Each structure stands twice: as structure tokens, then as C-alpha cells.
Amino acid sequence: MKLTLKTENPLKARSPLLVLPSFQGDRPPAAPAFGPALGKAWKELDGEFGSGRLLYPAQASPVERILLLGAGKAEDLDPEKIRRLAGKARNRAASLGMDRFSFAFPLEDHPVSPEETGAALAEGLLLSAYKFDRFKKKTSREDEGERKKEKKEPRRVLLFLRGKARAREKAGKGLQAGAAAARGQNLARELGDLPSNLLTPALFASRARKVAREWGCKCTVLGEKEMARLKMGAFLGVARGSSHPPRLVVLQTRPTAQEKVCVVGKGLTFDSGGISIKPSRGMDEMRFDMCGAAAVLGLFQALEGGRDLPFDLVGVLGLAENMPDGNAQKPGDLVTACDGTTIEVLNTDAEGRLVLADCIAFCRKRFKPKAVVDLATLTGACVVALGHEATGLISNHDPLAEALLRSGEKTGERCWRLPLWKEYKDLIKGSYGDLRNIGSAGAGAGTITAAAFLGHFAGDTPWAHLDIAGTAYNTRKRDYYQGGAFGVGVRLLFRLFKEEGRPWRKRAR
Ligand code: BES
Ligand code: MN
Ligand code: ZN
């Protein structure tokens, strides 16, 4: 979809559809061609957020239709509302079969900055356009009651942003940043949506290579042999049961820069639970168990190579499939991670932390990073605690955690911090190995014990863990999101790295 900035009066520009936000208490624009109907509809709408009224001109007009879109009170506007309004506008244009439309939006008289406004508009428009339907024949789509006629999708949007020249310039910048972020998020969604037979660890790694090639990033792909040489016993133990061998992908934005920051993603292309097999009901959802890794790759796409960051951003994807098999690891097995930590595998379904343990230990050894952030669909307990509205955040470094919380508010990818007291760390101490991979029976706090396990490998490196089990996919419907993988984490980290400076340099309290 192409977004073009326009400056003239939107009512004078030729368009099959003009979307006009209608704020509560505002006066309607002068649009004589639409007669008194516009004023009446405006009044009736009363700015009710999300409602719409479609109007046709009473006389010749370059604008063939107007959609009034209730936008609430101007003083209550925030970026999330703008994303939602943009998503609604695009969806409405699509359902009207328009291949282009105009969208007017003010850059003043509301609390959102021009840059934020531009970014949120681009995000809402591009994210709402994402669909995962390429495996469906057109005829079967029709069977589901959709219109027989091949429907057009908006490919071009003219944005009429009202404000001073400087504000429009800033909005243009925001638009660019938002579009890049949304493209990265849509890549993460596509990878998330692909099922395990179409996205194996090897295929995922080749997608990573492609992104790296496009933006000139360094990309190293390690296979089983290299991982064995590095003594990644925890990671390899998980992968043993699958006929699809694992991959460890390392992406780097600026390999020569001294300062390193690592972002690690859990990439289980399928998690059956292994020998501690999951119940069959809902097991298909475990094709989404690679959404952490998808977000990391989406972040590199969003950053368009990330050469403007003042450090080397290192992306690490831990890719494997967790399957039961004659060769699979078994409950009670003892494995050794690449930093020498021994682990009792008491439940083969607690596999994400085993993969991440080696990834995090590898990051610290190889890169001596200033900070590590990991993203993982790690625990069902996190869905119990926070549902689908917030990502679980656990960290050993307050300034880093607070920066993530702020980024979450701004991007709408909200996080909620959970504690990591010593008492929780005690729950994962092993009896015949250093650690056990699940908390002892009845310990509870499944999300925190999983994080405590990862925290052991992060040591004193500033580290934040994001449990996206509840936010990575499914029910969390928004106007710019229909279902499936959400690509959560891409915009959260995009903002963190672009706008929060280097919080890991601040002293931890
Ligand atoms: N991938 C799952 C976590 C998960 C569950 C993500 C539901 C999304 C939705 C993870 O590997 C897992 O199986 N965790 C176990 C841990 C338990 C065995 C300690 C869980 O949450 O049940
Ligand atoms: Mn599991
Ligand atoms: Zn898993």
C-alpha cells in the first residue's frame, strides 16, 4: 500500500472516498456539495468513537463519498486510537471495494504530536491490510459468503494532514518510521502464521538470510554440528526428537561496533511437548511457538538494517522443533548448557527455557553484550495471569524494565512487570544438577520460575525477558488486527532502540 502526503483541501481532490474523522463537539467542515446531510450526520454521530456514516454528494463533486468516522473527544486522542481509526478507515474502504481512498487527519488541536500521529496512521493502515489467505483458493473464499465479485483492496491512500508546514514535515517523518515498523511487524506475523510443515527451522533460517541480504546485515547460521562444538547441550536436547534439525541464527547490524546489545527469540516451529506430550486439544496453536524469533527477525526488517543505531544489535534466533520420538530426550535426563550449567529436564514441555538458556549463555560468551532482551511464548501461566492484554516482563535491571514499560504504553504493546525475588530463584535449584527446568510441585508462579531459569544464564548482564505467550497470537482483536499471529514485540523493541536511548547504561537500582 502506498501512502502519499497531500496538502490541498481534501474536498477539492478527486477521490472515490474521503474519510473524515469527526471529533465530539467539533464543527463539520464546509462541504456544500454534500448539502445539509453532512451537518445532520455529523450531529447524529456526536463523535462516537468508531461509528461511521457514509454520505453521497447531492451535486457534482470531486469526492464521490464521505465516510464520517467518530473519533471521540479530541483531548482524549492517543496513538492507539489513531491506529484503530486508520484501521477502521482502511477496512471500510476495502469492504466498499475501493482500490484507493483519501483520509484527512488533524495534526493540531489534540494531544498527539505530529510525528506520533504520522506513525500511528501508517501503522494502522498497513497493519490492517495484512491477511494470511494465500493458501486459500478464491472460490473457497466466496463459499464463505463473501461477495462473488473479486473485491479490490486499497493500494493507495492519500493522506491530507492538517497543520503547519513544520508539523506536516514531522508527520511525514513519523509516517516513514511507522511504515517501516509496520512492515517489520507484518513480516513477523507472516512467519508466525506459517504452520510447522511450511516453516521448519531450516526454512526460517533462510528467511533470516534473505532479510539480512536485503539490508546488508551480517548473518551466521549454525547447524547441529557447530552447536555441538559449542556444547549447547540444553538446546540440542530439545531438538533431538525431531526429524527437522535445529538452527541457531545470528544477525548483526554493525559487527565492527564495540558495544553489543542482544535480542534473543524463542523459535520453536512446533512444540508438541515432546515426551511430556501436550493434550491434543489446542495443540495446533503450538505452531505459533516461534513468535519470539519471528519478532526478532521482524525487528531487523523494521530497522531496515539498523545501521543508524549507535551499537551493534545482535539478533539471535533459537530455532527447533520439540517432538516425541525414540531419540527424544526424556523426563529426568541431565543436560549441560554451553556455560557449563547442568540441568535436570523434569518436563520436556518446558523446552523454550532450555533453548533460550544456551542462546543467552552463547550471547554473553561471544559478544559480552551491554544488555540482553529475550522474547518468548514461554508459559501458559502468563496467559492465566495477564490474558491477552499484556506481555509479561521480568528483568534484573530497573531502567531497562522501565524503558520497556514506557515503550509498551506508546506502542500499545503493553507490558506488565512481575517480580524476581531470590525466593523464586530457589524454586528452580536442582537436586542432582545445578538447575531443574520446572518449579517444584505446587510452587506456582510458572511465569516467574521460567524467567528465573533464564535469569541464571543472563547473570549480571542487564536483561529483560518478555513472555509473549498471551500476546503473540489469537483472540486479541483490534481494528488493525483480525486474528492469527500479531507480531507483538516488533514495535515495542523498535521504539525502545530508536527512542529510549541506552537505558542499560543507567545504574540499576
Ligand atoms: N510454548 C509453551 C507455552 C505456551 C502455552 C505458549 C500456551 C502459548 C500458549 C511452553 O513451551 C510450555 O509448554 N510451557 C509449559 C511449562 C510447564 C511444563 C512448566 C506450560 O506453560 O504449560
Ligand atoms: Mn512446551
Ligand atoms: Zn514452547
Side-chain angles (χ1 to χ4, degrees):
M1 184 166 21
K2 194 166 174 247
L3 313 179
T4 314
L5 278 178
K6 291 274 169 187
T7 51
E8 65 258 44
N9 179 351
L11 285 157
K12 302 225 163 97
R14 272 178 54 93
S15 176
L17 171 70
L18 167 63
V19 182
L20 286 175
S22 160
F23 291 96
Q24 209 178 82
D26 269 15
R27 261 184 311 188
F34 284 79
L38 189 113
K40 281 185 199 157
W42 186 281
K43 215 168 151 199
E44 198 179 83
L45 195 60
D46 195 27
E48 190 196 338
F49 187 86
S51 318
R53 296 281 187 284
L54 195 61
L55 302 161
Y56 293 85
Q59 36 178 290
S61 156
V63 171
E64 293 166 39
R65 297 168 191 79
I66 283 180
L67 173 67
L68 295 182
L69 191 55
K73 283 195 184 131
E75 71 244 43
D76 294 341
L77 191 70
D78 61 31
E80 180 64 12
K81 284 190 179 146
I82 299 177
R83 276 187 286 274
R84 291 184 54 190
L85 290 170
K88 277 180 189 294
R90 197 220 67 97
N91 292 344
R92 193 64 187 267
S95 70
L96 289 167
M98 317 257 116
D99 65 351
R100 64 197 172 93
F101 70 101
S102 305
F103 190 14
F105 211 86
L107 299 173
E108 45 201 28
D109 308 323
H110 63 71
V112 187
S113 73
E115 198 150 354
E116 294 270 11
T117 302
L121 286 171
E123 289 164 5
L125 290 169
L126 291 167
L127 292 173
S128 64
Y130 172 82
K131 269 203 200 80
F132 185 65
D133 63 356
R134 66 183 148 107
F135 297 105
K136 258 180 151 177
K137 269 204 232 76
K138 284 201 190 94
T139 49
S140 72
R141 273 180 248 159
E142 280 165 10
D143 290 345
E144 283 166 21
E146 287 181 29
R147 261 203 297 175
K148 281 268 157 33
K149 208 174 82 196
E150 168 87 71
K151 247 195 230 161
K152 284 184 196 156
E153 289 273 326
R155 299 156 67 81
R156 186 143 188 232
V157 184
L158 305 182
L159 285 163
F160 296 82
L161 304 184
R162 177 170 54 76
K164 299 203 176 72
R166 213 174 131 60
R168 273 189 270 118
E169 196 186 307
K170 285 196 168 154
K173 267 193 170 169
L175 206 69
Q176 295 269 313
R183 288 197 188 100
Q185 184 166 353
N186 282 344
L187 169 66
R189 293 164 85 177
E190 194 219 339
L191 293 167
D193 282 333
L194 282 166
S196 70
N197 61 329
L198 303 181
L199 190 71
T200 59
L203 287 168
F204 200 131
S206 59
R207 294 294 297 263
R209 273 212 182 91
K210 199 175 142 204
V211 172
R213 210 179 311 123
E214 181 177 354
W215 299 109
C217 297
K218 184 174 174 189
C219 179
T220 320
V221 179
L222 310 185
E224 242 168 343
K225 274 193 198 125
E226 289 103 328
M227 289 161 73
R229 226 173 285 138
L230 291 166
K231 299 195 189 314
M232 297 186 161
F235 191 147
L236 289 172
V238 171
R240 280 178 56 155
S242 170
S243 55
H244 298 294
R247 293 287 188 274
L248 183 106
V249 176
V250 183
L251 296 150
Q252 287 177 263
T253 56
R254 279 174 65 178
T256 52
Q258 274 288 310
E259 187 173 348
K260 312 278 178 188
V261 173
C262 296
V263 184
V264 182
K266 170 177 173 179
L268 266 290
T269 53
F270 192 74
D271 174 18
S272 68
I275 296 297
S276 314
I277 197 162
K278 290 181 180 291
S280 48
R281 199 193 143 115
M283 201 202 265
D284 59 292
E285 276 185 25
M286 288 301 122
R287 71 179 185 277
F288 294 114
D289 212 18
M290 30 56 67
C291 284
V296 173
L297 190 55
L299 174 67
F300 274 72
Q301 165 67 43
L303 290 168
E304 302 186 330
R307 213 87 67 239
D308 54 335
L309 296 179
F311 46 81
D312 182 24
L313 184 70
V314 182
V316 173
L317 318 178
L319 306 169
E321 188 179 69
N322 186 21
M323 293 291 282
D325 178 78
N327 194 41
Q329 75 176 343
K330 300 168 287 291
D333 282 3
L334 191 81
V335 296
T336 307
C338 66
D339 69 348
T341 304
T342 57
I343 305 160
E344 301 166 12
V345 180
L346 297 177
N347 189 318
T348 66
D349 197 11
E351 86 297 337
R353 64 197 78 180
L354 296 169
V355 168
L356 292 176
D358 266 329
C359 290
I360 294 171
F362 165 80
C363 282
R364 289 186 74 212
K365 264 211 280 198
R366 173 75 51 102
F367 298 109
K368 307 216 168 8
K370 291 283 185 289
V372 175
V373 179
D374 76 77
L375 291 125
T377 46
L378 204 62
T379 64
C382 193
V383 192
V384 175
L386 300 172
H388 304 287
E389 294 307 321
T391 291
L393 164 64
I394 289 130
S395 175
N396 63 6
H397 193 272
D398 292 344
L400 177 58
E402 284 154 16
L404 279 161
L405 289 170
R406 273 193 299 274
S407 180
E409 291 299 327
K410 287 187 177 158
T411 55
E413 299 193 340
R414 285 181 292 189
C415 302
W416 196 259
R417 193 174 178 185
L418 299 170
L420 185 60
W421 299 311
K422 176 184 175 296
E423 287 75 5
Y424 292 116
K425 299 179 186 170
D426 292 341
L427 297 172
I428 47 148
K429 286 191 175 148
S431 47
Y432 53 93
D434 300 328
L435 298 180
R436 41 188 292 145
N437 81 328
I438 51 169
S440 32
T447 301
I448 303 177
T449 50
F453 185 91
L454 300 182
H456 168 91
F457 297 91
D460 56 6
T461 301
W463 153 80
H465 160 62
L466 297 163
D467 193 330
I468 56 171
T471 45
Y473 63 92
N474 245 334
T475 51
R476 197 172 161 272
K477 282 204 172 60
R478 291 287 182 276
D479 298 302
Y480 53 87
Y481 167 63
Q482 303 309 319
F486 186 52
V488 79
V490 174
R491 284 185 297 113
L492 179 73
L493 296 183
F494 182 79
R495 264 218 103 102
L496 175 79
F497 293 128
K498 287 256 188 198
E499 282 168 34
E500 287 290 342
R502 290 137 132 164
W504 46 86
R505 286 184 167 186
K506 292 189 196 146
R507 211 156 60 94
R509 268 161 279 139

